């Protein structure tokens, strides 16, 4: 119902009345579990931008690109779209390995809005980020859990690529700052199914908490295995990548004492969030994939790209970068501003409660 043809010739035809935007999001693999909501949220944003007059007098049209393959191949595909004049911007949720392959190829040619939470440190000219970073997302969450839950010993379980490994480096520093330590680390390939060896290591480490840096369905399978092992009775979990689709797929029996930290939760009862829920439901119906932080990020990616181009009044990346400091946009998280190419945002800590998240508090992101 929610799939779109990715091969139609219209995507590869330059048209001065259309502003093409490559939407790079996962269709397959571990992250495919939240790909549908990423696509639908981005399409909703594009429709709203077009109802508001489009961008630079042009209709904004999304060009879907599967972001779940080999990073170099994805970069080849997007660069080809730029070469053909079929896209004048890029956005979407995809893992950091894809961003690292893509940014050097296209960011100096077209604006690139990256929406996935990531490890921090991206400073390529022409790249703009709506996403959370460990300093503002993970650090205050670990500090709070150390104070309120007495967590001292952490065990990191992540997929084996740049985001988990670099985030773990930050986690070691944050744990020490709260009088604790990282007692062990394990990195597993994307698409992993067997967690038994890792769970034995967690048990032997005598950890108080597990920091989950797993993507999509890998995190779902870990949650189930963790609960089946009985570790959920003695060890809390904290994830910086756990949306509502992943929570539902894990099931309530597998999410006891599971915490998540993010800039958006569907259960936030603000006026802006409730309005977003209403527009999403009106557009796609009750059978649409659940709203969550990862899909919402793609909605914001389209809004930010449109705001950058409108402020600059041109497609010239150097001008866009020079005027980016004055850019703001209003979305499901309220009015947000850019600073140093990153969106400044509020971050929340939530705890799994059945098939939803109970938002506990807004975290203190001050240094």
């Amino acid at each position: 119902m929610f799939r779109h043809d990715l091969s139609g010739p219209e995507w590869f035809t330059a048209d001065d009345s259309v502003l093409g935007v490559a939407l790079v999001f996962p269709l397959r693999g571990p992250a495919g579990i939240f790909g549908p909501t990423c696509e639908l949220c981005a399409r909703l944003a594009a429709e709203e931008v077009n109802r508001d007059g489009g961008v630079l007098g042009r209709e904004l049209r999304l060009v879907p690109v599967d972001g779940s393959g080999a990073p170099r191949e994805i970069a080849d595909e997007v660069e080809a779209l730029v070469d053909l004049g079929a896209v004048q911007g890029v956005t979407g949720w995809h893992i950091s390995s894809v961003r690292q392959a893509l940014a050097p190829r296209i960011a100096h040619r077209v604006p690139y809005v990256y929406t996935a939470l990531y490890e921090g440190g991206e400073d390529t000219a022409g790249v703009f980020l709506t996403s959370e970073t460990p300093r503002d997302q993970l650090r205050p969450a670990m500090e709070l859990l150390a104070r309120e839950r007495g967590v001292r010993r952490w065990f990191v379980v992540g997929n084996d690529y740049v985001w988990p490994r670099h985030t773990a480096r930050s986690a070691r520093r944050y744990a020490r700052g709260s009088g604790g330590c990282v007692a062990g680390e394990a990195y597993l390939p994307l698409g992993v199914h067997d967690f038994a060896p890792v769970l034995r290591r967690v048990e032997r480490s005598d950890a108080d908490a597990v920091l989950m840096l797993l993507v999509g369905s890998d995190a779902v399978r870990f949650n189930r295995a963790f609960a089946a092992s009985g570790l959920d009775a003695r060890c809390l979990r904290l994830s910086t990548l756990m949306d509502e689709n992943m929570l539902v797929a894990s099931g309530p029996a597998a999410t006891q004492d599971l915490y998540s930290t993010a800039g958006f939760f569907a259960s936030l009862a603000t006026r802006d969030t409730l309005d977003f829920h209403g527009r999403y439901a009106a557009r796609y119906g009750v059978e649409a994939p659940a709203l969550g932080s990862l899909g919402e990020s793609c909605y914001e990616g389209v809004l930010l790209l449109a705001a950058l181009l409108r402020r600059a009044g041109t497609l010239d990346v150097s001008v866009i970068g020079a005027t980016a400091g004055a850019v703001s946009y209003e979305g499901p998280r309220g009015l947000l501003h850019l600073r140093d190419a990153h969106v400044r945002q509020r971050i929340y800590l939530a705890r799994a409660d059945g098939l939803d998240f109970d938002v506990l508090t807004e975290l203190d992101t001050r240094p």
Side-chain angles (χ1 to χ4, degrees):
M1 177 179 178
F2 297 112
R3 291 273 59 83
H4 293 271
D5 179 13
L6 305 186
S7 60
E10 63 177 301
W11 302 126
F12 300 92
T13 303
D15 182 344
D16 289 342
S17 70
V18 170
L19 189 131
V21 174
L23 176 67
V24 186
F25 69 102
L27 290 170
R28 300 171 287 112
I33 189 172
F34 48 78
T37 189
C38 288
E39 181 178 17
L40 296 185
C41 286
R43 290 192 176 280
L44 179 62
E47 291 170 4
E48 293 175 354
V49 166
N50 287 331
R51 281 199 297 271
D52 196 33
V55 181
L56 304 181
R58 301 162 74 169
E59 174 194 353
L60 192 154
R61 182 180 296 169
L62 297 177
V63 180
V65 175
D66 184 1
S68 52
R72 181 177 296 180
E73 293 174 2
I74 296 166
D76 287 344
E77 183 174 353
V78 176
E79 186 176 32
L81 291 170
V82 174
D83 289 342
L84 289 167
V87 300
Q88 292 76 43
V90 177
T91 190
W93 195 105
H94 35 276
I95 65 174
S96 289
S97 300
V98 174
R99 186 195 76 251
Q100 289 185 328
L102 185 55
R105 305 268 288 272
I106 57 97
H108 60 291
R109 303 176 61 190
V110 298
Y112 174 21
V113 175
Y114 184 66
T115 78
L117 63 100
Y118 84 113
E119 64 280 358
E122 176 61 70
D123 60 1
T124 304
V127 179
F128 307 92
L129 305 102
T130 70
S131 39
E132 303 94 336
T133 59
R135 189 187 74 85
D136 291 337
Q137 182 188 25
L138 180 59
R139 175 185 56 84
M142 290 180 67
E143 290 173 353
L144 187 148
L145 290 171
R147 285 194 312 271
E148 302 296 329
R149 295 293 306 271
V151 173
R152 292 295 178 268
R153 293 175 64 80
W154 292 86
F155 195 103
V156 177
V157 179
N159 289 118
D160 191 6
Y161 72 99
V162 60
W163 165 64
R165 286 188 173 275
H166 282 232
T167 301
R169 292 180 193 172
S170 299
R172 291 176 218 139
R173 187 169 68 252
Y174 303 150
R176 289 194 300 270
S178 298
C181 67
V182 171
E185 302 175 37
Y187 299 96
L188 307 168
L190 288 162
V192 63
H193 282 74
D194 181 11
F195 292 100
V198 172
L199 294 173
R200 287 194 292 270
R201 288 185 58 194
V202 172
E203 186 170 14
R204 289 196 300 267
S205 74
D206 199 27
D208 307 304
V210 170
L211 174 58
M212 294 174 56
L213 302 174
L214 295 164
V215 175
S217 55
D218 287 5
V220 169
R221 288 189 290 269
F222 179 81
N223 279 335
R224 294 173 180 169
F226 192 85
S229 74
L231 280 168
D232 58 340
R234 53 174 276 194
C235 195
L236 67 83
R237 282 160 288 169
L238 171 65
S239 174
T240 58
L241 175 57
M242 180 66 59
D243 85 333
E244 284 74 358
N245 292 280
M246 295 161 63
L247 187 67
V248 169
S250 298
T255 56
Q256 174 182 312
D257 228 6
L258 170 64
Y259 291 84
S260 177
T261 175
F264 176 88
F265 289 97
S267 54
L268 282 168
T270 66
R271 183 191 64 184
D272 295 308
T273 300
L274 293 172
D275 285 349
F276 183 49
H277 275 282
R279 297 196 305 276
Y280 184 83
R283 177 64 179 83
Y284 299 117
V286 296
E287 295 184 0
L291 276 176
S293 59
L294 311 178
E296 191 274 344
S297 78
C298 290
Y299 179 92
E300 284 195 32
V302 174
L303 293 189
L304 176 54
L305 185 58
L308 286 162
L309 293 171
R310 286 168 173 166
R311 169 64 68 173
T314 177
L315 297 173
D316 187 306
V317 175
S318 62
V319 177
I320 293 167
T323 57
V327 166
S328 63
Y329 63 95
E330 193 154 9
R333 297 189 291 166
L335 182 63
L336 297 172
H337 302 266
L338 270 185
R339 185 186 309 153
D340 299 326
H342 286 71
V343 169
R344 301 296 99 187
Q345 56 193 286
R346 293 173 290 277
I347 306 290
Y348 303 92
L349 182 69
R351 187 175 181 178
D353 181 13
L355 300 179
D356 209 345
F357 285 111
D358 177 18
V359 179
L360 303 176
T361 188
E362 180 180 340
L363 294 172
D364 183 358
T365 60
R366 291 173 297 181

